[in-house]
Structure formats: structure tokens, C-alpha cells
Amino acid sequence: MGLPRLVCAFLLAACCCCPRVAGVPGEAEQPAPELVEVEVGSTALLKCGLSQSQGNLSHVDWFSVHKEKRIPIFRVRQGQGQSEPGEYQHRLSLQDRGATLALTQVTPHDERIFLCQGKRPRSQEHRIQLRVYKAPEEPNIQVNALGIPVDSKEPEEVATCVGRNGYPIPQVIWYKNGRPLKEEKNRVHIQSSQTVESSGLYTLQSILKAQLVKEDKDAQFYCELNYRLPSGNHMKESREVTVPVFYPTEKVWLEVEPVGMLKEGDRVEIRCLADGNPPPHFSISKQNPSTREAEEETTNDNGVLVLEPAQKEHSGLYECQGLDLDTMISLPSEPQELLVNYVSDVRVSPAAPERQEGSSLTLICEAESSQDLEFQWLREETGQVLERGPVLQLHDLKREAGGGYRCVASVPSIPGLNRTQLVNVAIFGPPWMAFKERKVWVKENMMLNLSCEASGHPRPTISWNVNGTASEQDQDPQRVLSTLNVLVTPELLETGVECTASNDLGKNTSVLFLELVNLTTLTPDSNTTTGLSTSTASPHTRANSTSTERKLPEPESQGVVIVAVIVCILVLAVLGAVLYFLYKKGKLPCGRSGKQEITLPPSRKSEFVVEVKSDKLPEEMGLLQGSSGDKRAPGDQVGGGSCGQSLPHPQGPGAAGANGSNSLSFTPLCRR
């Protein structure tokens, strides 16, 4: 409570306690002042409570009461107001036709009693008590970052709460975990102080001291400021804070991440934990399986042992030691078994199998693991599962059975834990060529890269019949690819190129024909393979010594044939429409001169027939006969006259067949 308010309250109490002298003529009881409440910075409206007659308000003097002394601050004469010199000289003005005095920019120093006094018809006065309020700023809380030991003999400072620039002084309440704290001897002590700023506002500082226990390590503390405004009671809360609480270690234990089944290749972390704060100094040791003695492991700066990647050798018994640096007492953890699951290297027998065609082969797969194993056999080239189990049996072996076979040993209960081993089966035989012959489209005087691929057992070698820069590359143990860089010359165009693959059991040859590309004409015909450089054939298009390369039609040649067929159909459609139009108009000649009218009975005019002559097969001609499908007798067809004369062959693109040998002719036929 401010000093002016204390003085006023003291005066009021004194007046109430002192007995009045009875029987004194003209003395009356002093009425209580009118209460006006405003916030700092706003405008206070002080209404004079005298009689509202114009005569009483035309002559009024205003005073402020400070330390029981009246100080004139404003006067009204004939309805006109004027400020007296002093602190209120520039903040007062009249309102409401002189009935109200407005005080602007109210400050805490303005909290006092104001009175107005009139002189006619007799001296009267009205007292006004001005109350000033200001909400404090958000409370700022600072926690004791050094921490509090639980074995302290007296309350230690937990946090400090500061509320700035409030008026009057706000009330502070401390909370722990949402419950208010009260003064408690030797347990909780709240020490508060306030400072008056030059502006007249108050800054409150409150310090909470308490004795804490281990259970308070996660306790949330905050402070609350309660204050009043003209609108009512309000409050503001600070943020929540946690104070470090120190207590000795009682237990140490180990934790392993990730939790669950571990496998080789995982990143494993082994860390020590303790229930003390601050935590002790940790060290991790592993029991030597041979000597049964604990050997300290190297940890990182945080005392964590990292196994990356984890190996089966990391399996074993681990223990943690926690050393309290204050008491120098070392506490051990319970030993913990760590198991890193593994699959050993897979072994396949025989390791390098060789067989003759028609024979049989048995492959056996072996591996060790910390868990139950499952085996699978897969074909390396296709990924196809051939067998489930450690044994794979192959009967009546063919040349195609040569190549890679993979054994996969896995642990079903631990996804991702598996090992594999590849074995190559060799079938004795002379070389096989990837292609027997191939046509290559080239340009003269260009450098050309030619490739030739062969497979067989023993591994073949490849030679070329022309000079050039050749190089070989193994595709697998039985397959080799040879590349030749050569200049295209006229002699090379005539002779072509041969590559020969040979081993101890025989030889085989592939032929590459070179053809010049004519860029001004159509692309090469559909019976050849094009390309300015040779591409390696797919392994699945192998050819033995008696096979030939399958040739695919060129897309460009197919396009030409399709265009020709479409043009032919369009020409036939147009010509048929013209003939039908001439027939309907009666202008189609039936004699040799081409000028005779066709005179037929109405019932016979619809029997106009178009004959299509072609060297196509007879069944193709049947498509252009009458809709009823009946064939005309020789006597029904007239030759020699205009009715039997063939119309000219349509000219233009696509009029001929794909090979240019077919011809179409149209002959109008008339029934006599």
C-alpha cells in the first residue's frame, strides 16, 4: 500500500476512533470522499458534487490535498477556468459546462484527495479520492542454475521472481507442480522486497528458498503476480522452471540399443546409466572368454561403447562401473550378456565343378550360424529359385546348364541376416557363338568397332581374320567378349569380317557382312540388321555351328508397305464412286464407241457388275463379286464390246502391289 493511502487510512481510522463533541451548534459529520479509479496514463474526470445551479458553478476553487495541506490547482470565475501555477498547471481542463475537471496523463503521484469549493450562497465543498492503478509487466523468473543438494541443512535458493512497473505493489504467490507454496519453518521461505521507481511505479522481487528432496528433480516451479485494475482483479504467471537437484548414486545399470535381436553389421551402442545426479564417471568392461577376466573397453567422450559394425566377436558378458567423484565410491552394474547373431561364410562343394554333357552333378551348401538356418539355390542369370535346402542335384546336364549357381543361407527369424556363395558349373564343349552371322551397315573410311562373343569350356580364345586393334574381356569364367577396331575399306566391304573362337575341344566362327549406307535413299530392306557400329548380341540369342541369325524386319520397310496398301484402298474407293455416279446418271457407254446409252429394263439396271482383273489368287477376286455370292455363267459376260472393255489401270503411288508385279483392271459388264 502506498504512503498516501496509508496516511489517508490512518486519518480515517483516527476520525472514527475519536468521539465527537455533542451539542456543538453548526457542526456536522464529514462525508466520505467520492472514489474515482483510473489507470496510469489515462484521464481522470473529477466531477464537482456541489449544487448544479449555475450560480454555484460560476465561482469554484479546486484544491489537491497533499500531506494534509490544501494546494490550489484550479479556479473558475464566471464559468471560465484557469490553472494555478504548479505541477498540474498544464494537465487540467474544464468539461461539462464547468461541472467536471479533467486531469490528463495520470501518474502514481496523482493518487490523493481532490476537492472543489464554492462560495455562493454559502461555502460548500466536495471531496474526491483518486485511486491509480498500473498492471505490472510479465513476471521474469530466474532459476538457480548451480543446483541444490538434497543433504543441505537449510533452505537453498530455488528461483527469483521479478515483477516490474506495477502500481500498487502486486502480491506474489509461488507454485510447485501447480500447488501454491506457503511459508514453512526450515522447509520453505519466501523473501520479498520492492523498489519505487522514479515514475512512482513499483518493482517487486521475490526469492523462493526451500529444502528439496530427490523426488523434486523434475518439479516445476513458477510465480504468479496478483494485482487490481479498475476493471477488477487480475493475475500474470511466469514460465515454469526446473532446478537441478543433486543426490548420490545408488544404482548403476547397462542399456543396449537397438533393442531386440542383433545381427552382424548393425550399429550397436552400449551405455551406462545411474540414478544419481550428477552421474558418476563410467567405464565399460567385457569378460575375456579365455581368461574370464574383465577387460576395459574404449568408449567415446560420453562414456558410450559403440560397436560399428557389430561382429560375432563382440558377443560376450559386459559390465559397467560407476565412480562417484565426490565420495570416490565405485558401484558396479549387473553383468549383461550381448549376443550378435551371425552367419558364417558359405561353403559350396565341389567348389569348381566340371562335367561332361549328359552327366549328373550334386552341389552341397554348408554354413554355421547362431540361429537355425534356411538354404536356397538360385540360378545366377535369372534369379529363379531351383531348390530349397542345402543340396542341389542336376541331372542329364546340357550345354545350357553351364554358368552360375548361388547358395543363400539365411536366418528367417532375423530379417537381413544372410550370406551367399556363387559357384560356376562348367560343361565341357567346343565354343558357342553369340551369333552365327550379322549384317552391319557402315560408311566407307570410317573407324568401326566390331564385337564378337563366345562361350565354352575350356575358356575359348577369339581371333579375327583382318588386321586391327583387338581386345578381350571376360564376361564370366566360360564367356569372353572380343572387340576389334578397324578401318572400313573397299576390300573389307568385299570380304567381310570373321571372328573365330577356339579351345581344346574345337572351334566356331561368326561372320559379319559390311554394307554401305546410302543416306539419300530409303533405309536398308527389312531382311537385314542395321547399325553403324556392331552391338553385342544378347546372351540368350546364342547360335551353334549350324544355326543362323534370326533377322527382324525393319520398321521403315513395314511403313512403306502399309502406305502402299492404304493408297490402293483409297484409289479403289474413289474409282468405285465415280463409276456408280456415271451409272446413276445413265452416261456409262455400253458400245465400242463409248457414246451409246445403256438401255436396260428397270428391273435389270441394278445388275451392273464391276469385274476386277488381277494376277492375285482366285479367292481374292471373289471378294468383288455380287453380294449374293453367286458366280456368273460365261454366257452372262459379254466380251469384245464396251461392256467387256477394261478400264485404264489407276496410276499413282500404291497402285501396284508391294513388289510392283500386281495390276488391277476394271471391266464394266452388261447383261443382254
Side-chain angles (χ1 to χ4, degrees):
M1 185 177 293
L3 184 59
R5 183 176 294 181
L6 291 173
V7 172
C8 183
F10 175 77
L11 293 176
L12 291 175
C15 292
C16 293
C17 295
C18 296
R20 296 192 303 271
V21 179
V24 179
E27 185 171 331
E29 183 179 356
Q30 185 73 24
E34 177 188 355
L35 182 62
V36 175
E37 297 180 320
V38 295
E39 292 190 45
V40 170
S42 62
T43 299
L45 299 179
L46 309 177
K47 294 184 178 182
C48 186
L50 301 178
S51 173
Q52 297 299 312
S53 64
Q54 187 64 33
N56 288 345
L57 297 177
S58 63
H59 191 109
V60 175
D61 292 321
W62 284 88
F63 301 90
S64 69
V65 180
H66 183 57
K67 296 182 179 180
E68 300 183 3
K69 180 180 179 182
R70 293 186 178 188
I71 302 174
I73 58 174
F74 200 85
R75 68 175 180 266
V76 180
R77 299 293 184 268
Q78 302 299 324
Q80 300 296 321
Q82 182 178 355
S83 295
E84 298 288 350
E87 59 178 320
Y88 295 106
Q89 183 174 359
H90 303 292
R91 293 195 291 146
L92 296 175
S93 62
L94 277 181
Q95 291 186 6
D96 194 15
R97 293 184 299 178
T100 302
L101 183 65
L103 172 62
T104 62
Q105 297 297 320
V106 173
T107 69
H109 300 295
D110 297 328
E111 186 172 83
R112 60 185 64 179
I113 292 178
F114 294 85
L115 64 87
C116 64
Q117 187 177 53
K119 291 190 175 181
R120 292 195 301 268
R122 60 185 180 86
S123 180
Q124 295 179 337
E125 67 178 23
H126 180 71
R127 302 168 65 87
I128 302 171
Q129 175 66 59
L130 181 62
R131 301 285 189 194
V132 180
Y133 300 93
K134 170 68 168 62
E137 299 174 4
E138 294 290 335
N140 180 33
I141 188 170
Q142 297 293 331
V143 70
N144 178 9
L146 298 179
I148 299 175
V150 297
D151 55 1
S152 176
K153 302 302 182 183
E154 57 185 21
E156 298 281 344
E157 180 179 331
V158 176
T160 300
C161 180
V162 178
R164 300 182 181 278
N165 298 323
Y167 192 89
I169 303 173
Q171 180 185 9
V172 63
I173 301 176
W174 282 94
Y175 290 84
K176 183 179 80 170
N177 295 331
R179 296 183 178 182
L181 293 174
K182 297 182 179 180
E183 288 275 354
E184 186 178 346
K185 187 176 181 181
N186 297 329
R187 292 287 297 170
V188 179
H189 177 60
I190 299 175
Q191 179 181 343
S192 298
S193 61
Q194 56 272 349
T195 303
V196 181
E197 308 292 344
S198 59
S199 61
L201 301 177
Y202 291 102
T203 293
L204 173 69
Q205 176 176 297
S206 180
I207 301 175
L208 172 64
K209 295 182 177 182
Q211 274 192 332
L212 302 182
V213 295
K214 181 179 178 180
E215 289 71 23
D216 294 326
K217 60 184 180 66
D218 298 320
Q220 300 286 330
F221 295 89
Y222 68 93
C223 63
E224 175 187 283
L225 297 181
N226 291 328
Y227 57 94
R228 189 179 182 281
L229 296 178
S231 57
N233 294 323
H234 300 268
M235 66 89 167
K236 291 183 178 180
E237 295 177 344
S238 72
R239 61 186 177 90
E240 293 182 331
V241 295
T242 301
V243 64
V245 179
F246 301 132
Y247 44 89
T249 299
E250 298 177 357
K251 183 181 179 181
V252 177
W253 66 94
L254 277 174
E255 275 192 0
V256 178
E257 289 186 358
V259 178
M261 302 283 278
L262 305 176
K263 65 179 183 296
E264 283 191 317
D266 287 345
R267 185 182 192 274
V268 179
E269 291 187 0
I270 303 175
R271 58 168 51 90
C272 292
L273 297 175
D275 62 353
N277 189 32
H281 173 74
F282 295 118
S283 62
I284 299 176
S285 60
K286 178 189 175 188
Q287 187 183 80
N288 189 312
S290 301
T291 63
R292 300 293 179 180
E293 294 182 357
E295 298 178 353
E296 186 172 346
E297 300 287 329
T298 302
T299 61
N300 60 18
D301 295 339
N302 297 324
V304 179
L305 176 60
V306 179
L307 309 177
E308 186 180 19
Q311 304 293 333
K312 68 177 181 178
E313 293 80 10
H314 292 141
S315 298
L317 201 62
Y318 288 83
E319 185 180 272
C320 177
Q321 293 284 339
L323 177 62
D324 192 322
L325 299 179
D326 291 332
T327 62
M328 299 308 292
I329 297 176
S330 181
L331 295 176
S333 69
E334 291 290 333
Q336 183 169 336
E337 183 76 23
L338 181 71
L339 175 61
V340 179
N341 294 284
Y342 69 93
V343 176
S344 69
D345 291 336
V346 178
R347 303 178 299 278
V348 175
S349 59
E354 298 176 328
R355 292 293 185 274
Q356 298 288 343
E357 283 191 276
S359 63
S360 298
L361 173 63
T362 299
L363 298 175
I364 300 175
C365 186
E366 297 177 310
E368 288 80 36
S369 174
S370 55
Q371 304 290 336
D372 293 336
L373 282 174
E374 284 188 358
F375 293 90
Q376 280 187 343
W377 283 97
L378 288 77
R379 189 71 158 113
E380 179 67 11
E381 287 81 0
T382 63
Q384 178 187 3
V385 177
L386 303 177
E387 186 67 48
R388 297 185 183 275
V391 179
L392 175 64
Q393 292 184 340
L394 303 174
H395 302 286
D396 192 17
L397 294 172
K398 305 296 183 183
R399 291 285 297 266
E400 292 81 359
Y405 294 82
R406 184 174 295 276
C407 175
V408 180
S410 61
V411 177
S413 60
I414 306 177
L417 181 56
N418 59 70
R419 289 287 187 94
T420 70
Q421 179 61 46
L422 176 66
V423 60
N424 282 288
V425 176
I427 308 298
F428 286 101
W432 277 17
M433 308 306 292
F435 59 90
K436 185 60 182 175
E437 61 183 35
R438 169 172 293 179
K439 185 176 290 186
V440 182
W441 293 90
V442 298
K443 292 191 295 184
E444 195 171 354
N445 296 324
M446 69 176 290
M447 294 300 297
L448 183 64
N449 284 326
L450 301 175
S451 61
C452 183
E453 182 179 333
S455 61
H457 185 71
R459 174 190 177 278
T461 59
I462 297 178
S463 60
W464 298 84
N465 68 334
V466 296
N467 293 328
T469 304
S471 61
E472 285 189 2
Q473 181 180 0
D474 289 337
Q475 304 298 96
D476 59 43
Q478 286 86 44
R479 187 159 56 102
V480 63
L481 175 68
S482 178
T483 304
L484 177 69
N485 186 264
V486 66
L487 177 66
V488 178
T489 62
E491 295 79 5
L492 197 64
L493 291 171
E494 292 182 5
T495 61
V497 180
E498 290 185 1
C499 68
T500 302
S502 59
N503 62 10
D504 295 340
L505 301 179
K507 63 174 59 178
N508 209 337
T509 301
S510 289
V511 180
L512 293 93
F513 300 101
L514 307 183
E515 296 287 345
L516 285 177
V517 174
N518 187 353
L519 300 179
T520 61
T521 62
L522 294 175
T523 56
D525 63 67
S526 61
N527 296 324
T528 58
T529 302
T530 62
L532 296 183
S533 62
T534 318
S535 61
T536 304
S538 169
H540 303 292
T541 59
R542 299 182 182 275
N544 59 18
S545 59
T546 61
S547 66
T548 58
E549 180 188 14
R550 189 179 70 162
K551 300 177 178 58
L552 300 176
E554 285 297 315
E556 293 82 1
S557 299
Q558 294 179 0
V560 172
V561 173
I562 293 173
V563 171
V565 172
I566 293 175
V567 172
C568 287
I569 294 173
L570 293 175
V571 170
L572 287 173
V574 172
L575 185 56
V578 171
L579 291 175
Y580 180 75
F581 175 78
L582 293 176
Y583 163 72
K584 296 296 287 184
K585 295 295 184 179
K587 297 181 179 181
L588 187 66
C590 196
R592 290 183 179 272
S593 64
K595 298 181 180 180
Q596 297 178 0
E597 296 285 342
I598 298 177
T599 57
L600 292 176
S603 61
R604 301 293 300 274
K605 289 184 179 181
S606 61
E607 298 184 12
F608 187 88
V609 178
V610 177
E611 179 185 11
V612 180
K613 291 184 179 180
S614 173
D615 54 2
K616 291 286 185 180
L617 295 178
E619 58 268 19
E620 298 179 13
M621 300 299 299
L623 298 176
L624 296 177
Q625 292 179 356
S627 61
S628 62
D630 57 335
K631 298 186 177 180
R632 305 298 179 188
D636 294 338
Q637 299 180 3
V638 178
S642 298
C643 293
Q645 183 177 358
S646 299
L647 295 177
H649 186 281
Q651 303 297 322
N659 56 6
S661 63
N662 295 337
S663 63
L664 299 176
S665 62
F666 300 87
T667 304
L669 301 181
C670 298
R671 289 188 180 274
R672 298 289 183 182

